[in-house]
Amino acid sequence: MSSRWPRGFGNFVSVPRRRTLALVLACAVAAACGNGDRAVAHGAAPARVVAVTRWDTLWSVGGARDSTLLNPFLLSATDSLVYVYDGGARRLVALSAATGAPVWRFGRQGSGPGEFRGVRDIKRAGDGGVLVLDPRNNRITHLDRGGAVVSRIPLDQVGHAEQMAPLPDGRMVLLTMSPESAFAVVGADGRVQRRFSLPWAGFAKLDPIARQGFVAATGGTWVYGFSVGDGWYAFNGDRPAHFVGRYAEHTDFPKMETTTEGDRSITHMEEYNACSGCSLSISGKTLVVHFGGYGNAPKRTLDRFDVSTGKYVDSYQLPIEAKAVEATGDHVYVLAEDPYPVLMALRPRR
């Protein structure tokens, strides 16, 4: 593995996965359907192996006496900078990866060139800068590592986009709301070059709430993982990998119900569903899945997988409940509320 997380340290315990249904629908991500769909992962999910480790806190930003971050909820990082989108201030904040000190800020509420309205995703760019997906303003803004605008990609042809995966050649894969062609490949001019979906026909039959997921990307490799349910798909560009990954533990797809209010019908979850993948990131060749769950330590488990084979590697338990996690090299950046918003830079102790 090329990521620099320590291996073979601490004590390890094997934890049986929670026995739940793989998916609610007839065709599950966790079993091959035999109906012409691409075969998906067979057999039982891997038993979780948790490394009982200690963490070094490299720095912490936020908290009761620090107004640097008001309502942060999106993370991306390079070796030198940590990018955080602050929904409370409608701005992007770049922090030093070494110290946590703010380096620059960009944006405010609005629809103008330097403004944001409904940011849904941020991803590190190939030049060390950052890409900001703002579907309400129908654009992606590319900022360099100094906070200057490199380009703006219009998204008028795409429809609403939730997540993105930048490709090395300047194109972008966007996760849209279309069930039959969930992903759109766009060029630097915003023109749609191709549309495709997951290699699983059951995806189109899911309720839009159940179809939700996260995209993690590095270079030309990217992963789509379900927020709930059991499965993640790896891609190289617009080509799917030969396998489908299984989570070490998962929660079931939510049961949906429809209620009527006046002349409107509203579909929602019958009850709260914890996330299987609360956030995903790729560090080197390792996919890091932040698991939610219902146990004694919700949103504190990180499961690691080989992104090139789908094989489970091991797990870590965070010292704090996290809203979002980004793993880069041997650093883990954690957004949490304690009880005020805080961003922590952690490193597993060697």
Side-chain angles (χ1 to χ4, degrees):
M1 311 294 286
S2 64
S3 61
R4 299 190 299 274
W5 285 42
R7 297 293 306 276
F9 68 95
N11 301 314
F12 291 84
V13 294
S14 178
V15 180
R17 65 180 294 277
R18 178 181 170 221
R19 295 185 180 275
T20 54
L21 294 176
L23 296 178
V24 185
L25 300 182
C27 210
V29 171
C33 302
N35 61 356
D37 294 339
R38 174 182 294 272
V40 293
H42 294 271
R48 179 180 281 132
V49 179
V50 179
V52 182
T53 69
R54 295 183 179 181
W55 296 83
D56 291 321
T57 301
L58 306 179
W59 49 261
S60 178
V61 174
R65 300 181 181 181
D66 187 343
S67 60
T68 302
L69 302 172
L70 301 179
N71 182 27
F73 68 95
L74 293 173
L75 271 175
S76 187
T78 68
D79 289 341
S80 59
L81 291 172
V82 182
Y83 299 108
V84 186
Y85 182 72
D86 189 344
R90 295 292 196 277
R91 68 187 179 193
L92 190 75
V93 182
L95 304 140
S96 166
T99 66
V103 177
W104 51 262
R105 298 175 175 85
F106 180 93
R108 61 182 181 180
Q109 170 72 29
S111 56
E115 298 173 334
F116 300 122
R117 292 176 64 198
V119 171
R120 299 298 299 165
D121 192 15
I122 63 175
K123 289 287 192 301
R124 58 181 177 265
D127 62 356
V130 63
L131 298 152
V132 185
L133 172 63
D134 185 355
R136 290 195 64 191
N137 276 331
N138 267 337
R139 64 179 174 235
I140 296 170
T141 302
H142 179 184
L143 303 169
D144 66 18
R145 67 186 68 191
V149 175
V150 177
S151 64
R152 295 183 179 90
I153 302 174
L155 300 179
D156 305 88
Q157 296 186 8
V158 177
H160 183 85
E162 282 285 304
Q163 300 270 302
M164 61 180 167
L167 302 180
D169 59 6
R171 295 182 302 161
M172 200 81 58
V173 179
L174 296 169
L175 172 64
T176 73
M177 299 299 289
S178 171
E180 291 82 14
S181 54
F183 301 101
V185 181
V186 301
D189 57 0
R191 294 179 181 271
V192 176
Q193 299 178 356
R194 187 191 169 205
R195 292 182 184 268
F196 62 99
S197 194
L198 294 181
W200 173 48
F203 181 76
K205 303 172 186 176
L206 294 174
D207 183 271
I209 295 176
R211 285 201 307 268
Q212 294 181 98
F214 290 100
V215 171
T218 182
T221 300
W222 59 279
V223 164
Y224 170 83
F226 283 102
S227 295
V228 292
D230 185 10
W232 56 274
Y233 291 80
F235 292 81
N236 184 6
D238 57 4
R239 300 188 305 275
H242 65 279
F243 64 88
V244 175
R246 290 197 66 173
Y247 292 137
E249 185 177 354
H250 72 274
T251 59
D252 292 336
F253 278 161
K255 294 181 179 180
M256 312 303 298
E257 65 178 2
T258 300
T259 58
T260 301
E261 295 182 5
D263 58 351
R264 295 189 307 164
S265 294
I266 301 173
T267 301
H268 54 85
M269 292 186 291
E270 288 185 1
E271 57 185 19
Y272 168 75
N273 240 68
C275 49
S276 297
C278 303
S279 54
L280 279 70
S281 55
I282 298 177
S283 176
K285 294 183 179 179
T286 305
L287 171 67
V288 180
V289 177
H290 172 213
F291 174 70
Y294 302 98
N296 295 326
K299 296 185 178 181
R300 289 179 57 186
T301 300
L302 302 182
D303 296 317
R304 306 200 310 150
F305 303 84
D306 186 327
V307 76
S308 63
T309 65
K311 293 182 179 180
Y312 169 74
V313 179
D314 55 21
S315 301
Y316 292 91
Q317 192 165 86
L318 295 168
I320 190 171
E321 181 177 322
K323 291 173 57 179
V325 175
E326 175 82 1
T328 302
D330 60 353
H331 287 47
V332 179
Y333 301 101
V334 175
L335 278 177
E337 293 185 0
D338 193 31
Y340 298 93
V342 61
L343 171 64
M344 304 171 66
L346 304 176
R347 181 173 57 201
R349 186 170 298 175
R350 295 184 184 276

